[in-house]
């Protein structure tokens, strides 16, 4: 058996699911803190799925297994996102790998559903300082998008966001700014420029511009982000309009961005703007 974290030979078995193996106590503890505590029961259910006797029983079993794997994938993405925005990249890695495995098993090894886990792995690697590994994961995500011949603007936005983060870590600010601008463009094409799902792109763009000392533009972008969230939480909804319901990862991203913006406004003495961002966070 192979370790869930490092793929080395493993003999230490999780006594909960009786499916996950680890090479040492440290790796088991890391996996548990990362994601396994949230999916142990589901993983165990996969390992104990009943054998089928008839074609209909087989169909029902396959669908049940598929739904369980989807839940594991979604939970892993949520956990990985929380770890990344809580600056715990070491814990984000096992969650992202779990999400990648489940996505490949459910959708296939060339599906665009693998792009989000690839980007989570890249983001965690950037935070860990493993920039070459991050570039590899981003390239895999980009290849997957090209192979699938997808024109999905949201996926393109995620990829440009990942490249922007990597280039910023390398302090290549001009190229990072360009990637962040492309992120905003594709997000706006996918959801509209005033949609809350564009705000993380605006924030990444502002971070790059801050390093280029474009302070007026940065302040304007921060205010735009806060305004969009204020409208989302407190604005009137037009008749017949169905507002976008935030997923758990999107909630985590929103809290992260708004909290950082509030700290930025507070540090510069802009109490009014800080109050607006605090209200949005609350």
């Amino acid at each position: 058996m192979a370790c869930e974290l490092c793929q080395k030979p493993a003999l230490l078995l999780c006594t909960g699911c009786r499916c996950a193996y680890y090479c040492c106590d440290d790796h088991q503890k890391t996996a548990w803190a990362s994601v396994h505590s949230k999916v142990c029961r589901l993983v165990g259910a996969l390992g104990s799925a009943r054998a089928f006797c008839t074609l209909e029983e087989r169909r029902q079993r396959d669908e049940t297994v598929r739904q369980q794997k989807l839940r594991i994938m979604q939970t892993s993405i949520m956990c990985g996102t929380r770890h990344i925005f809580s600056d715990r990249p070491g814990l984000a890695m096992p969650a992202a790998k779990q999400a990648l495995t489940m996505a490949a098993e459910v959708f296939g090894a060339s599906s665009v559903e693998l792009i989000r886990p690839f980007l989570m792995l890249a983001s965690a690697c950037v935070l860990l300082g493993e920039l070459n590994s991050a570039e590899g994961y981003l390239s895999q995500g980009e290849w997957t998008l090209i192979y699938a011949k997808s024109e999905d603007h949201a996926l393109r936005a995620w990829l440009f966001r990942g490249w922007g983060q990597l280039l910023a870590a390398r302090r290549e600010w001009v190229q990072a700014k360009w990637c962040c601008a492309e992120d905003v463009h594709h997000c706006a094409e996918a959801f509209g420029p005033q949609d809350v799902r564009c705000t993380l792109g605006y924030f990444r763009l502002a971070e790059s511009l801050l390093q280029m000392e474009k302070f007026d533009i940065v302040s304007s972008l921060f205010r735009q982000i806060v305004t969009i969230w204020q409208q989302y939480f407190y604005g009137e909804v037009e008749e017949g309009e169905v507002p976008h319901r935030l997923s758990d990862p999107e909630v985590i991203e929103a809290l992260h961005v708004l909290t950082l913006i509030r700290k930025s406004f507070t540090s510069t003495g802009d109490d009014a703007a800080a109050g607006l961002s605090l209200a949005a966070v609350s």
Side-chain angles (χ1 to χ4, degrees), residues 56-71:
E56 178 60 21
E57 287 176 342
R58 177 179 179 177
R59 187 194 65 78
Q60 292 178 356
R61 175 187 178 277
D62 288 348
E63 180 58 25
T64 298
V65 168
R66 182 179 183 276
Q67 292 301 319
Q68 288 171 335
K69 288 182 178 180
L70 278 175
R71 288 180 61 190

Side-chain angles (χ1 to χ4, degrees), residues 254-275:
L255 290 173
H256 173 77
V257 169
L258 291 169
T259 299
L260 289 180
I261 290 175
R262 177 173 61 83
K263 290 179 180 178
S264 175
F265 282 138
T266 301
S267 66
T268 57
D270 195 336
D271 294 334

Side-chain angles (χ1 to χ4, degrees), residues 215-235:
F215 301 119
D216 290 343
I217 302 176
V218 170
S219 180
S220 176
L221 284 169
F222 280 177
R223 289 175 181 276
Q224 175 74 357
I225 292 168
V226 173
T227 299
I228 290 173
W229 281 105
Q230 286 276 314
Q231 177 63 30
Y232 177 82
F233 286 121
Y234 306 114

